[in-house]
């Protein structure tokens, strides 16, 4: 895995998103810069359909490969979410994450 430094001085928050964002939760907590860590909890079927539509539109691979890959990811999703929460992210729906980040920006941190 590659690493690269980034500077957040002067920023009220930084947002790390994606499948590997949970990897930095503990280090951010240790450094005192963690305001919140969330793993998106979405309806698995909707995620499958969105991903498949995107990949088909982009013609990333043959359709049958994309369907097989999508089904494998659909089955793996609960374990991915467990891993992310195990690394310190809190499972939440997108709307809730947006409300919490808006609250952080407004100076009203979420209290669990």
């Amino acid at each position: 895995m590659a690493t690269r430094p980034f500077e957040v001085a002067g920023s009220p928050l930084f947002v790390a998103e994606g499948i590997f964002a949970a990897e930095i939760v503990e280090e951010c907590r240790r450094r005192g810069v963690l305001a919140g860590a969330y793993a998106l909890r979405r309806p698995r079927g909707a995620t499958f359909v969105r991903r498949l539509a995107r990949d088909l539109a982009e013609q990333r691979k043959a359709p049958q490969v994309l369907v097989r890959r999508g089904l494998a990811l659909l089955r793996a999703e609960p374990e991915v979410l467990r891993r992310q929460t195990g690394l310190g992210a809190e499972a939440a729906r997108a709307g809730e994450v947006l409300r919490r980040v808006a609250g952080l920006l407004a100076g009203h941190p979420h209290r669990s």
Side-chain angles (χ1 to χ4, degrees):
M1 182 183 304
T3 62
R4 70 182 158 143
F6 63 96
E7 182 63 43
V8 294
S11 299
L13 296 172
F14 80 92
V15 175
E17 70 81 30
I19 190 85
F20 298 110
E23 303 288 337
I24 66 171
V25 168
E26 189 54 42
E27 182 63 18
C28 289
R29 183 176 285 125
R30 188 185 71 72
R31 292 178 183 225
V33 297
L34 184 68
Y38 310 103
L40 286 181
R41 183 175 51 223
R42 293 182 167 153
R44 291 169 46 201
T47 300
F48 169 80
V49 170
R50 275 195 304 273
R51 182 184 295 128
L52 183 60
R54 178 202 65 202
D55 292 348
L56 288 170
E58 294 176 5
Q59 299 178 344
R60 293 173 173 231
K61 293 183 172 43
Q64 64 270 29
V65 172
L66 295 174
V67 169
R68 277 196 312 270
R69 176 182 171 270
L71 290 171
L73 291 170
L74 176 83
R75 287 188 294 273
E77 195 167 319
E79 180 54 35
V80 170
L81 189 58
R82 276 192 295 276
R83 183 175 183 286
Q84 291 173 328
T85 57
L87 289 169
E90 179 184 345
R93 296 204 178 277
E96 180 63 20
V97 172
L98 290 173
R99 282 189 293 281
R100 290 180 187 186
V101 171
L104 290 167
L105 286 170
H108 307 288
H110 165 72
R111 303 279 184 223
S112 296

